[in-house]
Amino acid sequence: MSAADRPKWRRRKSLKSPADDDNDCASLAWLLNFRLDEFVNVKVPDDEPVKKEPKIMVPDGPPAPRKPPYTYPELIERALREKGELTVSAIYQWISDRFPYYKANDERWKNSVRHNLSINPHFRKGARAPQGAGHLWSLAANAIDLLPLRNNTYEEERMIECAHEARIIACPKVIVLDEAAIAAASIIPDQDLFTGSTMFLNPVSTEQVVRECGLITVD
DNA sequence: GAGTGTTTAGCTCTCG
DNA sequence: CGAGAGCTAAACACTC
């Protein structure tokens, strides 16, 4: 495939607003880039009208599936978090069932899934599959969440995508706190399973993450 | 041979 | 513009 033929994809790295430079939690910002900006109603004044996502009208049949706004590690994590342990083929199945964009007979994304399983320490290769080739894959013991646990239908996922593009999504504060807890947990000292040594040096509380990064305002 | 797992390389894109 | 992240392609080895 030539570069010109290759489908264009957009990297979904968090977009940092200029205002972010004003706060002093830049060192924690990376922790909060795990889709936090997509699930938190950040900087949306109450009186600002909610933009409605224009429906894409396709004359013939349903709209073509769009690429989900998730990276491959995120997709894999969701599958593993939902199912616990999965073989590679089961991961394929989970993704293609949930996201019609990923066709079951398309080898390209499957290669990417395998690639990500191999290189990402977030995923752990377990025992051999009971039947068939391959191993069971699971999340690493101290893996941090890439996504909040949700169990949305495809239509709900579509709504999230639309909300993401509009930068607006209704999100209760408890979710924000969960996300912050996730971020904090990742930098609270943890015991290395193999060496027994402490893995992180600067413990940060959930409340500290929330407060310093302005995820919620204290009323 | 098919499916799986690993590795390498190259590309596009965002951010500093 | 360079660095880094994410995606894709391809080659190769291994297992069933």
Side-chain angles (χ1 to χ4, degrees):
Chain A
M1 182 190 292
S2 69
D5 295 333
R6 185 173 300 169
K8 300 292 181 189
W9 54 273
R10 305 277 303 178
R11 188 165 170 246
R12 290 173 304 90
K13 201 173 183 179
S14 65
L15 298 174
K16 199 176 172 185
S17 69
D20 292 337
D21 293 331
D22 293 333
N23 67 48
D24 59 355
C25 66
S27 62
L28 296 174
W30 67 273
L31 282 168
L32 301 163
N33 286 343
F34 293 107
R35 303 275 78 77
L36 253 182
D37 58 326
E38 300 180 15
F39 298 104
V40 178
N41 48 343
V42 182
K43 296 185 180 65
V44 180
D46 291 337
D47 55 349
E48 182 174 328
V50 174
K51 278 199 289 185
K52 294 254 183 178
E53 178 74 10
K55 283 195 180 287
I56 302 170
M57 302 303 289
V58 178
D60 300 319
R66 287 170 41 213
K67 186 165 190 172
Y70 306 123
T71 62
Y72 286 115
E74 288 168 348
L75 289 171
I76 297 166
E77 187 209 339
R78 294 190 67 176
L80 294 177
R81 202 123 65 87
E82 186 175 308
K83 299 295 185 183
E85 278 187 328
L86 289 174
T87 60
V88 169
S89 59
I91 293 172
Y92 296 157
Q93 189 65 48
W94 189 94
I95 293 174
S96 60
D97 282 351
R98 203 172 176 86
F99 301 99
Y101 175 86
Y102 298 105
K103 301 285 188 293
N105 59 355
D106 185 348
E107 287 304 309
R108 294 176 303 173
W109 67 269
K110 292 180 179 179
N111 192 1
S112 294
V113 167
R114 293 198 304 272
H115 166 76
N116 276 277
L117 283 170
S118 287
I119 68 168
N120 198 325
H122 198 65
F123 309 119
R124 191 187 61 198
K125 186 171 72 175
R128 285 213 144 272
Q131 62 257 47
H135 296 77
L136 290 168
W137 290 85
S138 60
L139 293 172
N142 53 1
I144 61 172
D145 295 332
L146 298 178
L147 284 168
L149 182 58
R150 287 175 290 137
N151 191 26
N152 300 334
T153 64
Y154 174 65
E155 287 306 315
E156 289 167 338
E157 297 289 357
R158 295 272 300 171
M159 291 173 62
I160 290 170
E161 289 179 39
C162 293
H164 165 62
E165 290 178 3
R167 311 285 300 163
I168 295 166
I169 185 169
C171 182
K173 286 184 178 179
V174 64
I175 302 296
V176 178
L177 289 170
D178 284 349
E179 288 297 310
I182 287 162
S186 69
I187 49 178
I188 286 172
D190 197 7
Q191 292 297 112
D192 185 302
L193 293 176
F194 300 102
T195 67
S197 60
T198 299
M199 299 174 69
F200 298 100
L201 299 177
N202 300 309
V204 180
S205 70
T206 299
E207 291 75 13
Q208 189 176 353
V209 172
V210 170
R211 199 180 316 112
E212 293 192 4
C213 297
L215 291 175
I216 61 173
T217 56
V218 177
D219 297 332

